[in-house]
Amino acid sequence: MIRITSQPFGQTAAGEAVTCWTMQNDAGMTVRALDHGCTVQCIVVPDRDGRLIDVALGYDDIAGYETGSCWFGAFVGRYANRIKNASFTLNGRTYTLAKNDGNNHLHGEYSHMRFDAAAEDGALVFRRDSPAGEEGYPGALRITVAYRLTEDNALIMDYRAVTDADTVVNFTNHTYFNLSGAAGTDILGHRLVLAASRFTEVGAETLPTGRILPVDGTVLDFRREKAIGADIFSDDGQLRLCRGYDHNYILDKAPGLAEVGAAYCPESGVELRFSTTQPGVQLYTGNYVDGDTAPCGKGGVRYPRCGGFCLESQHYPCSPNYPQFPSTVLRPGEEYHETTVYRFGVR
C-alpha cells in the first residue's frame, strides 16, 4: 500500500511555510517532495544488497533550495531549457521574458513558487494558477502536477495544463541522480543507454543553433550502453561548449509513452529505467554543480562537478524560435499532457 504523509519543512526567507510530503511503498522506496516548486527532495531505493540509499541530490533545508543555483529536484516551467534573447514571437506579437541566464531565459521560476498540494487517489497532486504576464508569458495557465509511487518502485510524473490564451508550454523535472547513493562522488562510472539517434546542436551560451545532427560516429552516441565518463573529457567541440553533456537528444520513439533509456551504477547495482511521452530528453551531467551557490548539499556534502546526472524529458530548447522544431504552442480548448516514468531496480 502506498502511504502519503506530510510534515513541516521550515519557512522561506519571506516567511512562507513549506511542507514536505512523503510517499512510501511496501518495498521500502520513499520519495519526498516539497510544495515549494513541486521539488523532489529525496528518492530512497534499495541497492543490490537491500540497503536503502538516497539517489537524488538536494538540500536538507528550504534555505538551500532558495539560494542554490542547480535546480535540484525542481519542477521546471513555464518553459524548460533556454529561449534565446528571452523573447519569442507568437501570432505576430513578440513577447519579452525575464532574463535569468545572461541575455537568455532559462526554465522559468516555478521552482521557487508555492503550489497547493494534496493526496488524491494514491498520488501527490500539486496545483497552481499562473497568471497571464507572469515572467512575460501570455495566457493564464492552470497547472496540475501529479507524482505517483508504485509498488514496483516506479515514480510517475504527470503534467497537465490548460490556458485561456495562446501560449507556449514545456515542463520538465530537474532531479539529479547519483545511483551509488554516495553523496560527494561523481557519476562518471555510471553506464547509460539512450534510444536517440539525433540531437539538437548547441552553439554559444549552449543555445541551440537550429541544426539537428546525427549522433552516429560522435561522442554523443549512447545508443549502446557506455560509461557516462567514457568520452566526457574528450576534445570534442560540443562537449567543450558545455563542459560535458548538456544536450537535447531526439528520442527514437512513436507518440505515446515508451521506454527510451536506462542508467546503471555498477557499485550499488541500482538501475534506473526511463520512459516518457515527450519527444526529447536533456542529458545533463552536472557540469557546474561544483559552483552551486548554496553552501552545501544534503548531509553537509559539497557536491563535485559531475556529482549527478539529469534526464530531463522535454520538447526541444528554444522551440518557439525554430519553426522546424515540434511546436510547443498551447491554445484554449487544448490540454497539455505529458508523462515521465523513472523505474528503479537492481542488476
Side-chain angles (χ1 to χ4, degrees):
M1 183 180 72
I2 305 301
R3 297 170 294 283
I4 303 178
T5 57
S6 65
Q7 54 278 330
F9 197 75
Q11 291 186 338
T12 66
E16 187 174 65
V18 178
T19 298
C20 178
W21 291 79
T22 300
M23 298 186 292
Q24 189 172 35
N25 66 14
D26 289 337
M29 181 172 171
T30 299
V31 177
R32 294 191 177 96
L34 311 179
D35 58 3
H36 180 87
C38 310
T39 300
V40 175
Q41 193 268 338
C42 85
I43 301 174
V44 174
V45 298
D47 69 4
R48 68 157 62 92
D49 297 319
R51 296 176 302 170
L52 296 176
I53 59 173
D54 186 356
V55 296
L57 275 54
Y59 307 106
D60 287 325
D61 55 38
I62 190 59
Y65 291 101
E66 288 197 283
T67 61
S69 56
C70 292
W71 311 86
F72 289 143
F75 168 65
V76 168
R78 185 175 296 195
Y79 199 93
N81 222 304
R82 291 169 175 84
I83 295 183
K84 184 178 181 180
N85 296 327
S87 67
F88 66 93
T89 300
L90 179 62
N91 300 333
R93 178 178 172 182
T94 298
Y95 294 90
T96 301
L97 308 175
K99 293 182 178 180
N100 61 357
D101 183 48
N103 197 46
N104 308 305
H105 182 76
L106 174 64
H107 291 330
E109 291 298 317
Y110 289 166
S111 59
H112 295 294
M113 296 177 180
R114 185 187 179 279
F115 284 69
D116 294 327
E120 299 179 11
D121 299 323
L124 176 55
V125 180
F126 301 92
R127 291 187 173 87
R128 184 175 186 274
D129 290 339
S130 176
E134 189 168 61
E135 294 195 271
Y137 287 97
L141 203 66
R142 178 157 290 180
I143 305 162
T144 303
V145 177
Y147 296 158
R148 185 179 297 274
L149 178 62
T150 69
E151 290 292 3
D152 60 348
N153 288 356
L155 172 59
I156 303 171
M157 298 181 172
D158 193 77
Y159 309 135
R160 296 178 185 265
V162 294
T163 183
D164 67 355
D166 290 1
T167 189
V168 294
V169 179
N170 188 22
F171 296 156
T172 194
N173 179 272
H174 213 297
T175 294
Y176 290 71
F177 300 100
N178 184 323
L179 303 180
S180 73
T185 63
D186 65 51
I187 46 77
L188 298 177
H190 283 44
R191 302 187 65 80
L192 177 69
V193 61
L194 283 176
S197 56
R198 298 175 297 158
F199 71 101
T200 51
E201 180 187 49
V202 300
E205 302 176 285
T206 63
L207 290 163
T209 65
R211 293 210 303 166
I212 293 174
L213 301 179
V215 301
D216 191 38
T218 77
V219 296
L220 279 84
D221 192 351
F222 281 93
R223 291 174 297 175
R224 292 185 178 179
E225 184 182 274
K226 69 175 181 179
I228 290 175
D231 301 308
I232 200 169
F233 300 122
S234 66
D235 187 28
D236 176 83
Q238 285 291 293
L239 297 187
R240 286 201 311 271
L241 281 168
C242 302
R243 206 174 177 232
Y245 294 97
D246 192 4
H247 293 81
N248 171 62
Y249 282 80
I250 298 172
L251 298 171
D252 298 332
K253 62 182 287 295
L257 184 66
E259 187 174 298
V260 290
Y264 166 66
C265 175
E267 288 75 25
S268 68
V270 174
E271 181 179 55
L272 166 60
R273 306 193 70 84
F274 171 69
S275 303
T276 188
T277 57
Q278 301 258 36
V281 61
Q282 187 85 4
L283 170 62
Y284 178 53
T285 48
N287 311 325
Y288 293 93
V289 167
D290 54 334
D292 186 15
T293 51
C296 64
K298 286 185 282 191
V301 171
R302 185 75 185 179
Y303 296 125
R305 178 184 176 184
C306 301
F309 69 94
C310 302
L311 292 172
E312 305 164 60
S313 57
Q314 60 175 20
H315 273 64
Y316 307 172
C318 209
S319 289
N321 292 320
Y322 290 108
Q324 68 270 35
F325 290 175
S327 175
T328 54
V329 174
L330 180 67
R331 306 187 191 279
E334 301 174 346
E335 182 185 50
Y336 171 94
H337 183 203
E338 301 287 357
T339 302
T340 293
V341 181
Y342 299 108
R343 187 179 304 277
F344 296 87
V346 293
R347 288 190 196 175

